[in-house]
Amino acid sequence: MREQNEIVKDIKSVLEEKVAPSVAAHNGAIGFIDFAMDTGVATLKLSGSCSGCAMSAITLKRGVEQTLKHYVPEVNSIVGEDDEEAAEQGYKPFVPKDERDV
């Protein structure tokens, strides 16, 4: 069984090398917060345009979670937390056009 620090190192590496380029293209960022050894849940921070984005849940489950599970088998699932400072940095949650017109 691997040590937590080894797993965390691998999670951070995958986020930096495999995930960051894709989300950066959309002015977003996904960073590491915590990894729970007992449950295999990685908690990630959604920053930039990812924070509050309606599509972030889909990106997390279909993209980031699957990528982390592939490269870091100890990861069972992920949880995303929005960056509370995103609004202060000028990022606002995406609201689809049809909802703005209502």
Side-chain angles (χ1 to χ4, degrees), residues 2-75:
R2 296 195 314 153
E3 297 288 324
Q4 183 169 7
N5 62 339
E6 294 175 282
I7 297 167
V8 168
K9 181 180 175 185
D10 286 350
I11 292 171
K12 288 180 178 180
S13 176
V14 170
L15 289 174
E16 183 179 318
E17 296 172 14
K18 307 286 184 197
V19 175
S22 297
V23 295
H26 299 276
N27 295 320
I30 299 177
F32 176 80
I33 294 177
D34 188 37
F35 177 71
M37 287 287 290
D38 58 336
T39 60
V41 175
T43 304
L44 308 177
K45 182 177 184 177
L46 306 173
S47 301
S49 62
C50 290
S51 182
C53 175
M55 293 298 292
S56 65
I58 294 169
T59 300
L60 282 174
K61 286 295 177 187
R62 292 189 184 165
V64 180
E65 184 173 89
Q66 294 305 316
T67 301
L68 278 175
K69 285 178 166 182
H70 176 77
Y71 290 103
V72 188
E74 292 86 355
V75 173

